[in-house]
Amino acid sequence: MAVERGQFSSRLGFILAAAGSAVGLGNLVAFPVMASKNGGAVFLIVYVLFVALICFPVLVAEIAMGRNTRRNPVGAFVALAGERSRWRWAGRLAILTPFMIAVFYTVVTVWIVIFMFRAFTGELETLATTNAFGEMIASPGIFPWFIVLQFIVFGILLGGVKGGIERLARVAMPVLAVMLVLLILFVLTLDDAMLGVRYYLIPDFSRFNGGVLNAALNQAFFSLSLGMGIMITYGSYFSRQDRIVSSSRLVATADTAVAFLAGLLILPAIFAFNPSTNPDDLSSSSIGLIFTYLPQIFLSMQDAVGYVGASMVAGSFFVLVFFAALTSLVSILEIPIAYMIDEHNFSRRKAVLIQAVLVTTFAALAALSFGMSPFLTDFIPYGGGTRSFFDLIADTFSEVILPLVGFMVCLYCAYRWRDGFVEELSQGDESLKGSFLQRYLSFSLRTFVPVVLMFVFINSVAQKYFAVDLLMVFAG
Ligand code: PHE
């Protein structure tokens, strides 16, 4: 049994922490890139529909599972299904997945820390050169920063749910919102920025294809931190007196709003930098965009605001991304920690230390797979190329597995738990029971949501490992 479980201090605390988890690199980096590649406004529309119709019910289901059982994902699946139940495997998958995501997310966050410091210390010009990023990731110079980051992250986690996670979110989220808005206002004043706004907001339906659907759903799932056990665990720290459904709605809205605003920042910046940008040419990798392309864009602003001004804008952008990444990283590392505390009776301190050693080891290996270690760099062939250790983890756990875990959450809540699920949603929210919304949630989780998630899972396996897109195959 649990030694001592944390709890968020209030509904607002929960919402900020959950939104802090949801708002991350997915919103600030991946979303704008996907939107630019997949037709701007078309992608935006599809994305919002998926968030509302498919992801929102799963978000509610995960939070309800956690809150009802007051357990980590393994505990949550077995508390309702029985110790010996095979559902335990679903829970295990929901512990392994966040661990693995933390491994690659840590590496990317280290890069962000480095770019942040270098932008502020006058190195923007170097960062904007085409080789800067490639050289940085292949250099052992990242390791001191890596250690610094680990101290920050695990220091916060030692502080616990209220004193660590929630406190961080209470500071980071407002700062993030203000910086985002200020940066957008600045970018919109640049010449030609409106070209980007137009591309982003006026749909071009000829750009729509099956690939957009899969990409949008994967992106929405990742962005809301679903299928990672996070919302189950955060739900377990959420008070029974508060309303799950309306709180979830705020989390989903905040996450989508930040993604939308990030698009409104980055697309206009791209067009201001190069008014004749052809969206097809935008880098296919999100990481490349942020680390190579954006510094060039920021540097080009020196004509308007001087080198120091441009460096400050670039530095602020990386602070913004860093805060977003930090709240996400903390949230994801909390899952295995909660598991050790709940299921193995560890003290928080001991769980945090074990987790720190494990993640640091794996993340160091992942960091070596950009050239420092040839073995890890050319780790495994699949999907038509040789992939690194980092790629293997990122592909598998940030995309392929998430819809599978989501699928199991749906089946579990809709078929195994059933009436209990509706009861849980109505706790603290009496008017919900029997309402249209409640019936929609139950119905969707029982029917089309798991079907769609299973399809996306299969399609993602085909795409990632075999370079085949089933949607394209069916559509001819
Ligand atoms: N929602 C997060 C994002 O968009 C996903 C995530 C959460 C990733 C936690 C890692 C850790 O970046």
Side-chain angles (χ1 to χ4, degrees):
M1 278 296 103
V3 182
E4 170 204 334
R5 276 189 73 79
Q7 184 158 350
F8 292 117
S9 64
S10 63
R11 177 166 180 252
L12 181 67
F14 167 79
I15 291 170
L16 284 173
S21 168
V23 172
L25 300 173
N27 305 61
L28 296 176
V29 184
F31 181 85
V33 177
M34 294 221 181
S36 53
K37 282 196 308 183
N38 292 306
V42 176
F43 184 80
L44 188 62
I45 295 169
V46 174
Y47 180 88
V48 170
L49 283 176
F50 277 151
V51 169
L53 300 177
I54 310 265
C55 298
F56 180 65
V58 182
L59 176 64
V60 168
E62 288 201 10
I63 295 174
M65 275 178 75
R67 190 176 76 166
N68 181 270
T69 57
R70 297 248 162 268
R71 288 285 174 279
N72 67 91
V74 167
F77 274 104
V78 302
L80 294 162
E83 281 297 325
R84 282 184 214 292
S85 149
R86 283 203 210 108
W87 286 106
R88 180 181 282 277
W89 286 98
R92 286 194 177 129
L93 198 55
I95 303 285
L96 178 70
T97 304
F99 177 82
M100 288 300 187
I101 293 179
V103 166
F104 81 83
Y105 216 78
T106 299
V107 177
V108 180
T109 309
V110 174
W111 300 339
I112 289 172
V113 173
I114 295 176
F115 266 56
M116 180 172 82
F117 273 87
R118 292 179 67 183
F120 277 129
T121 53
E123 285 193 63
L124 181 59
E125 203 151 15
T126 321
L127 296 181
T129 56
T130 22
N131 297 336
F133 176 60
E135 280 165 15
M136 175 199 67
I137 61 179
S139 137
I142 64 167
F143 283 105
W145 295 102
F146 180 54
I147 306 289
V148 171
L149 177 69
Q150 295 304 76
F151 271 99
I152 297 176
V153 166
F154 288 99
I156 294 168
L157 284 164
L158 264 185
V161 175
K162 214 179 291 179
I165 297 175
E166 183 179 330
R167 209 154 101 200
L168 169 71
R170 279 181 186 270
V171 178
M173 293 310 285
V175 173
L176 186 147
V178 170
M179 288 183 84
L180 185 56
V181 171
L182 291 180
L183 281 168
I184 292 173
L185 292 178
F186 171 72
V187 166
L188 291 183
T189 63
L190 299 173
D191 293 343
D192 294 318
M194 284 306 146
L195 293 175
V197 175
R198 206 168 304 145
Y199 176 67
Y200 188 40
L201 298 181
I202 302 177
D204 169 2
F205 287 103
S206 67
R207 293 187 162 272
F208 182 79
N209 60 40
V212 173
L213 292 179
N214 211 76
L217 190 65
N218 268 329
Q219 171 63 20
F221 222 69
F222 182 80
S223 187
L224 286 174
S225 297
L226 296 176
M228 311 176 183
I230 294 183
M231 293 301 171
I232 299 180
T233 310
Y234 273 23
S236 77
Y237 304 141
F238 186 38
S239 153
R240 301 297 292 274
Q241 269 89 54
D242 289 322
R243 286 170 292 165
I244 292 185
V245 176
S246 64
S247 309
S248 308
R249 191 159 44 211
L250 278 171
V251 172
T253 308
D255 184 64
T256 308
V258 173
F260 172 75
L261 291 176
L264 203 54
L265 171 66
I266 292 186
L267 288 165
I270 292 175
F271 280 83
F273 174 64
N274 174 10
S276 53
T277 299
N278 175 355
D280 296 329
D281 298 341
L282 291 173
S283 139
S284 60
S285 122
S286 52
I287 289 180
L289 179 101
I290 181 168
F291 289 105
T292 327
Y293 201 49
L294 284 182
Q296 290 174 19
I297 294 177
F298 290 128
L299 186 63
S300 75
M301 291 173 188
Q302 63 180 336
D303 299 338
V305 290
Y307 186 65
V308 174
S311 302
M312 290 303 130
V313 174
S316 316
F317 175 77
F318 283 106
V319 171
L320 170 78
V321 179
F322 173 63
F323 272 13
L326 190 62
T327 46
S328 296
L329 198 49
V330 165
S331 77
I332 204 144
L333 288 163
E334 173 66 14
I335 316 325
I337 292 174
Y339 166 74
M340 287 187 263
I341 296 176
D342 290 346
E343 308 298 314
H344 297 287
N345 272 327
F346 288 1
S347 67
R348 175 168 264 284
R349 208 185 153 75
K350 186 167 164 196
V352 169
L353 285 178
I354 294 178
Q355 172 76 344
V357 171
L358 287 175
V359 170
T360 305
T361 310
F362 277 83
L365 292 176
L368 290 173
S369 66
F370 291 91
M372 280 182 262
S373 153
F375 170 68
L376 293 166
T377 307
D378 299 318
F379 192 62
I380 185 170
Y382 64 80
T386 307
R387 313 288 158 159
S388 67
F389 181 62
F390 179 98
D391 292 334
L392 176 66
I393 296 181
D395 285 344
T396 306
F397 292 96
S398 77
E399 283 191 26
V400 174
I401 298 291
L402 302 184
L404 178 65
V405 176
F407 171 79
M408 294 194 279
V409 167
C410 293
L411 292 195
Y412 189 77
C413 289
Y415 291 101
R416 186 76 181 68
W417 195 20
R418 296 179 65 138
D419 297 345
F421 170 62
V422 177
E423 280 307 316
E424 183 59 38
L425 295 188
S426 313
Q427 275 279 339
D429 194 359
E430 278 312 320
S431 64
L432 185 78
K433 211 188 241 167
S435 68
F436 173 76
L437 186 56
Q438 180 259 306
R439 279 181 289 150
Y440 174 76
L441 290 170
S442 302
F443 175 77
S444 61
L445 288 169
R446 216 166 40 225
T447 53
F448 62 89
V449 174
V451 172
V452 171
L453 291 177
M454 189 31 92
F455 181 78
V456 171
F457 169 64
I458 295 171
N459 196 31
S460 301
V461 170
Q463 266 183 355
K464 281 287 163 200
Y465 304 121
F466 303 100
V468 180
D469 188 334
L470 302 177
L471 275 167
M472 298 293 189
V473 175
F474 289 146

